[in-house]
Amino acid sequence: MPTSPPPRRAPRWPWPLAGLLCTACTASLPNMQGVQHAPAGATAVAPIPITQQLLAEQEAARRRQLQDLSVFAGPAAPYAIGPGDLLSITVWGHPELAAAQLATPGPQLSPGEQAAASTVPGFLVGPDGRLQFPFAGALQVGGLNEQQAGDLLAAKLARVLNQPSVTLRVLAFRSQRIYIDGEVKAPGLQPLDNQPMHLVEALNRAGGMLPSADQSRISIVRGGASYRVDLPALIRHGGDPTAIVLRHGDLVRVASGEEGKVFLTGEVTTPKAVAMHSGRLTLNEALGEAGGVSPVSGDARQIYVVRRVGDESQVFRLDAREPGALAIAEHFELSARDTVFVAPNGLTSWNRTLSLLIPGSLPAAVGTGTGR
C-alpha cells in the first residue's frame, strides 16, 4: 500500500546563526538620531543638522570671505624702480648729458630682453639697483619712484651744475611682475607698469579664462598666504573686481572646473559625479542631477554631506521628511569635492546583511516556505 510522503517542513535555523542574524538585523536598522557607531579606535563625527540657522551661518562665512579681500583694496603705490628697468633721463639745457646712451644689458635679463636693451637708448638699472650717470656717479635708485629718482639725480648734479632740471621716466618696465597660472589662454609672467594692475585686467592680459575655468575658485597667493576669489559671488554681493589690485610677486591661479565636482553615492537613482555651475551647486540640485533618493531602497531621513576642511571632516545631515526640508536643501550650498550620501532604509540594510552572511540561503528559504 503506497504511503504518502512526509509533509515538507520549513528549515530551522541553527541557534548560533539565528542569534547572529538578530544581531545583524539590529545593527542594520536606521539610527533615528543619525549618529553612526565608529569602529574601535576611531573618532565618531557627530552629524550637524542642516537647518535655517546653519544656512545663516554659511551666508555669514561667505560674507567674511569677501571681506578678507580688503587686503587687496586701496590705491596702488607708484611704480618702484628696480633692477632691469630702462630709464630715460633728460637734463634740460645740457644736451651733452642728454645724449642717448645705449644701455648695457645686465645678467638678470633674459636673452630676448638683453637683445632689446642693447638697441634701445636709455640708462639701465643694474642688478644692485644702482644707476650710472655722468657727473653723478652711481646712484641707488632701486625702490624709488620716478619723481624720487629724478630729485636724487638733480641733487647730485647740483654739485657741478647750476640748478639742474631733470626729467626721469621709465622706458621699459622689467623689474616687477606677477604670475598667472591655471585655466587661462596664455599662462606665464605679466609685467607691471606705472598703471595699477587689477585682477580683471591681469586675466585679460593672459588671454582670458578658458571655458573649463571655474570662476569661483581663483586663488591669489601673496606673502605666503592664499586668498580665494569667487568672482560670481563677489559681483552678486555688489563687490567690484577692479578693486582687487595686484602687486609685484603675486601669483594668480585659476582652478579647473574638473576640480569642483560633487560626488553622489549611496541610495540615489544614479550615483555620479556632478559638476558645479560657476562654483555653485545646492544640495537639492545635486540630488536632482542624480535622479533623487531611490524610492525603493533610500532613507530620506538620512541624507548626509561629507566635507573635508583642512585635516578634519564635517558631516551634515538632512531629514527630507521634515516640513520645509526641501526648501532648506535648495539653499544649502555644496563645496567642491563634497560627497553626498543617502543611507539605505532598514529593510534594505537587513536584506544586504543577510545576503552577506548566508549567500543564496534567503532565496532558498523563501522558496521552501512557499512550497516551491
Side-chain angles (χ1 to χ4, degrees), residues 30-300:
N31 192 329
M32 300 302 292
Q33 300 301 322
V35 179
Q36 305 298 321
H37 296 285
T43 303
V45 179
I48 303 172
I50 300 177
T51 60
Q52 290 288 356
Q53 180 181 356
L54 179 63
L55 298 182
E57 293 174 358
Q58 288 190 336
E59 180 64 21
R62 284 190 289 268
R63 291 187 178 275
R64 286 195 300 268
Q65 186 181 55
L66 295 178
Q67 293 174 356
D68 291 341
L69 299 179
S70 59
V71 66
F72 301 100
Y79 182 85
I81 298 172
D85 286 338
L86 195 62
L87 308 180
S88 168
I89 301 176
T90 301
V91 182
W92 298 99
H94 295 274
E96 72 280 5
L97 300 179
Q101 176 178 325
L102 291 179
T104 302
Q108 80 282 359
L109 301 182
S110 65
E113 291 174 330
Q114 291 182 7
S118 62
T119 59
V120 177
F123 297 87
L124 185 69
V125 180
D128 57 355
R130 291 179 177 270
L131 168 71
Q132 296 287 342
F133 195 82
F135 301 117
L139 300 177
Q140 183 63 45
V141 296
L144 305 179
N145 58 41
E146 292 177 338
Q147 184 63 44
Q148 293 170 335
D151 293 342
L152 176 61
L153 178 58
K156 292 290 186 179
L157 293 177
R159 300 175 181 177
V160 294
L161 302 177
N162 183 25
Q163 296 182 345
S165 178
V166 177
T167 299
L168 185 147
R169 293 289 182 267
V170 179
L171 285 178
F173 302 88
R174 297 179 180 140
S175 65
Q176 297 192 30
R177 305 172 180 182
I178 61 171
Y179 308 85
I180 302 180
D181 187 20
E183 299 300 303
V184 292
K185 291 184 179 179
L189 300 175
Q190 291 293 334
L192 297 178
D193 52 26
N194 55 358
Q195 297 297 321
M197 171 84 76
H198 52 75
L199 177 61
V200 177
E201 181 180 356
L203 294 174
N204 288 336
R205 287 194 183 185
M209 290 181 282
L210 297 174
S212 58
D214 186 351
Q215 298 186 20
S216 69
R217 300 177 64 227
I218 301 175
S219 301
I220 303 178
V221 179
R222 172 180 294 182
S226 180
Y227 303 86
R228 177 184 170 183
V229 180
D230 186 340
L231 276 183
L234 182 64
I235 297 174
R236 190 165 58 248
H237 288 86
D240 183 8
T242 62
I244 302 177
V245 180
L246 304 176
R247 71 185 188 193
H248 175 58
D250 284 352
L251 168 62
V252 179
R253 184 180 185 276
V254 181
S256 170
E258 292 296 321
E259 302 176 13
K261 289 186 175 181
V262 172
F263 307 95
L264 288 101
T265 184
E267 304 308 312
V268 291
T269 303
T270 308
K272 61 191 302 186
V274 179
M276 305 185 76
H277 311 296
S278 298
R280 297 192 67 194
L281 186 69
T282 66
L283 178 56
N284 210 20
E285 292 172 338
L287 290 172
E289 292 276 357
V293 178
S294 172
V296 176
S297 60
D299 186 353

